[in-house]
Amino acid sequence: REALLPMEDRSKKPSDHLYWARTASTTQPVEHKPLDAAAQAALQSAAAKPGAAWNAAATWEEKDISKWAHELLSSTLLPTLAAAEAELTASEAAALPADSRGASGLRCALKVSAVSSVSGDVTHVLSRGKQRVVFELTLKLKLELELRESDGTLLQLVAGSLSLSEVANDDLDGARMPSSHKTSCDQPEWAPLLRAAAGRAWPPLKGALVALVEQAKEKWR
């Protein structure tokens, strides 16, 4: 006949088999001291560094800022673009309709009358503490060209559009409109002039893209 097991000592606690649970701790409690001036300055300096907290070394970080860039271009930077009025170049004069050729001192001014659409990718890159803004954009703009006589009298108002596809950072180094651009004109007989004069829009358009890059760096520095 099997011997009966002694009854469990009900005075024991379930945790009594754990050494750490029945051994008094000899570790002194941590005393929290306020930061001195030097430590506070170091903490503030670290918080001011660009990039996310996890990327304190600023080795590499990318942020998609396309939506912000589209809104800035559409609402602020592109609608105000205008090329200063200037005398027609030889190529522009040659593009005039036959019945308008031969007049001397004709001048034209080109401006953006509306922004049809802005699309594409814009990325803010932080690499080893240095900022870059990389973009590849497609822009569709409404243009308005004013052709005036030498005394300022308005001779013709020409309306049309300008499309640029895949405009990228490398294009900012060029003095001319990227070859990907296309124009269309609401008045077919004036289409050659609008096409010839479209290049006037590149300097202010390039300035708008440079401003986009600088504002992005300022916002996410």
Side-chain angles (χ1 to χ4, degrees):
R1 196 176 173 184
E2 296 181 0
L4 294 176
L5 295 176
M7 293 185 62
E8 182 180 358
D9 185 353
R10 299 183 182 276
S11 65
K12 291 185 178 181
K13 299 178 181 178
S15 59
D16 282 354
H17 67 285
L18 299 176
Y19 176 80
W20 60 266
R22 62 175 186 268
T23 304
S25 174
T26 58
T27 304
Q28 295 298 319
V30 177
E31 182 180 355
H32 295 281
K33 297 180 180 180
L35 296 176
D36 57 22
Q40 289 181 8
L43 187 61
Q44 291 174 357
S45 176
K49 289 182 179 179
W54 60 265
N55 194 23
T59 52
W60 184 269
E61 184 179 349
E62 290 186 2
K63 182 178 181 65
D64 182 4
I65 59 171
S66 300
K67 182 178 180 181
W68 172 85
H70 295 168
E71 292 176 353
L72 179 65
L73 287 168
S74 299
S75 63
T76 304
L77 297 180
L78 294 179
T80 60
L81 292 189
E85 183 178 308
E87 190 170 342
L88 293 184
T89 64
S91 61
E92 291 169 346
L96 289 169
D99 58 358
S100 299
R101 294 175 190 169
S104 61
L106 293 181
R107 304 174 67 83
C108 79
L110 190 69
K111 69 177 182 179
V112 172
S113 58
V115 179
S116 300
S117 66
V118 176
S119 60
D121 299 323
V122 184
T123 305
H124 178 269
V125 179
L126 180 65
S127 176
R128 299 188 181 278
K130 295 183 179 180
Q131 296 184 89
R132 291 176 58 216
V133 177
V134 182
F135 63 83
E136 187 174 284
L137 294 164
T138 295
L139 311 175
K140 295 183 179 180
L141 312 172
K142 294 290 187 181
L143 298 181
E144 191 173 88
L145 183 149
E146 294 181 352
L147 181 65
R148 296 182 180 274
E149 296 181 350
S150 56
D151 63 358
T153 302
L154 181 62
L155 182 63
Q156 183 67 39
L157 188 63
V158 181
S161 62
L162 171 67
S163 298
L164 295 98
S165 60
E166 299 180 350
V167 181
N169 298 75
D170 290 344
D171 293 314
L172 298 182
D173 296 329
R176 295 184 177 182
M177 184 82 72
S179 58
S180 63
H181 82 278
K182 295 180 180 180
T183 60
S184 63
C185 186
D186 297 348
Q187 301 119 293
E189 69 275 18
W190 292 95
L193 175 60
L194 184 64
R195 186 163 52 248
R200 292 173 179 254
W202 179 237
L205 180 54
K206 183 165 64 171
L209 294 173
V210 170
L212 169 68
V213 170
E214 294 306 316
Q215 291 191 38
K217 287 182 178 180
E218 179 64 24
K219 184 175 180 64
W220 280 282
R221 64 185 177 87

